[in-house]
Amino acid sequence: MDSDMAVPQLDQFVLTVRNFVNSGENRELNEYLSKQTETLQKYVSNLDSVLEALDVHENSVTVLTVLGIKATAQKPPDIPGVQYHTAIATQINDFVSTISEEELRVLADSLATVMKSMLTNLGEIEKPMSAIPIIRRAICKLQEKPYQLTQLHCLLCQACLMSNNLKPALSLLDQDIYVLGTDESGVAFDPKYFLNYYYLGGVIYAAMKNYSKAITFFEIALTTLLPLLSQVMVESYKKFVLVSIIHLGAVPSLPKLSPALIERVLKPVCQAYLDIIPAYQSGDYEELQRTITKYHDVYIRDNNKGLVKQVIKALHRKNIHKLTNTFLNMSISDLAQRINLPNIAEAEEYLLTMIESGEIYGKINRKEGTIMFNDPPKKYEDPSVLKKILDEVINKISFSSTVRMMDEAILINPSFVKKTTSEDDGLSLGQSSSKSYQT
């Protein structure tokens, strides 16, 4: 269909929308727009004429609705995908740039839905990175304060992961959150945005090997007061287990995840991760390797193969640390054999890394091929140790306030249970299921 051809149905659509706006009938307008999806999809090639006919300030709801239709409708066959989806992204960017902060905040939920479709489309044409500045611009306009979580924070994290360009998300992730959506009374913030943000933020920190932060983010997603355990929380638990083993050598207990709850709810869907805990704790490389081999396909399906490899490395470091308590010095070849490393070079690499990070204290004699272990400094005399303790205290205080804030938000949002059981979790997490698990 020629996009310049007049379409009576669209002319009538524009006229009706203008009449609703001029008469101030906002509820009627929203009801009308909800019934026009099929018509707008049918004439998707002609929707630019609708956008040109509407003043974006007077008709922001309608313009965003039309942009959403363009982003989700089937692409016209005569337009290349790259051209079509790039053009829509430009139109969404223009919309965000043009309307005021106040107008955009009213449309935050709808904007998140439209931008999610935009990101999906840009991903399909291998241009997800172009979504990052658009989403960042929208976040800046939605935020009244830098410590405010918006509906788009999780989408920016998703765009960065899809682009393999994680740094743009750090300016948001490193900022503690104290306000959800808006601090205006009576305005509910859908917890799915909160859960997705902390899950995806944890994924980003884990990818950057900032395991302490990753654990905190997964822990927040897991300890939020919820009557249901969503798929996001299940995925968070899987990564929480792996990252905790890598960074702490153990999996901390979480007050809201009792042993009975783990046995009844998580065990059926997280058995591969529950089994890796005792395999690691045994200190036996071969036992850990057997467990990993058994669940190899599960780890790949869950996109956790990289973290599982880090668990193996963590076991090697753990076993090296044990040797420092037994030997004053030893040959590196003997060390490699004892901890199941393939050669001296790899053993030496582990030793150097651990010495540089302060995990062990010692000196390598390359000429003789030996390592001499030294006693660590007294526990609290090292300034770096004190700083680490202080950072941990601050981190826990921030963690507690974040979880408490989310708990309070959920308690005043009674519709959440219905939403989490009937809606998609909001972002693809590597599995198509949006099933919720009763706790």
Side-chain angles (χ1 to χ4, degrees), residues 129-140:
M129 193 178 296
S130 60
I132 293 175
I134 302 174
I135 299 171
R136 282 176 63 94
R137 182 173 293 109
I139 289 173
C140 289

Side-chain angles (χ1 to χ4, degrees), residues 342-397:
N343 52 59
I344 295 175
E346 192 166 332
E348 189 173 305
E349 185 179 340
Y350 270 93
L351 290 168
L352 286 171
T353 301
M354 293 179 72
I355 291 170
E356 289 174 3
S357 65
E359 290 182 72
I360 62 172
Y361 297 86
K363 186 176 181 180
I364 295 174
N365 186 328
R366 284 194 174 89
K367 185 177 179 180
E368 297 182 4
T370 60
I371 170 76
M372 177 175 285
F373 297 118
N374 301 324
D375 291 331
K378 289 186 178 179
K379 196 168 183 182
Y380 300 109
E381 289 184 357
D382 190 338
S384 65
V385 174
L386 181 59
K387 182 180 184 303
K388 185 177 180 181
I389 294 171
L390 290 174
D391 288 345
E392 210 45 48
V393 171
I394 293 170
N395 187 41
K396 286 301 179 184
I397 293 172

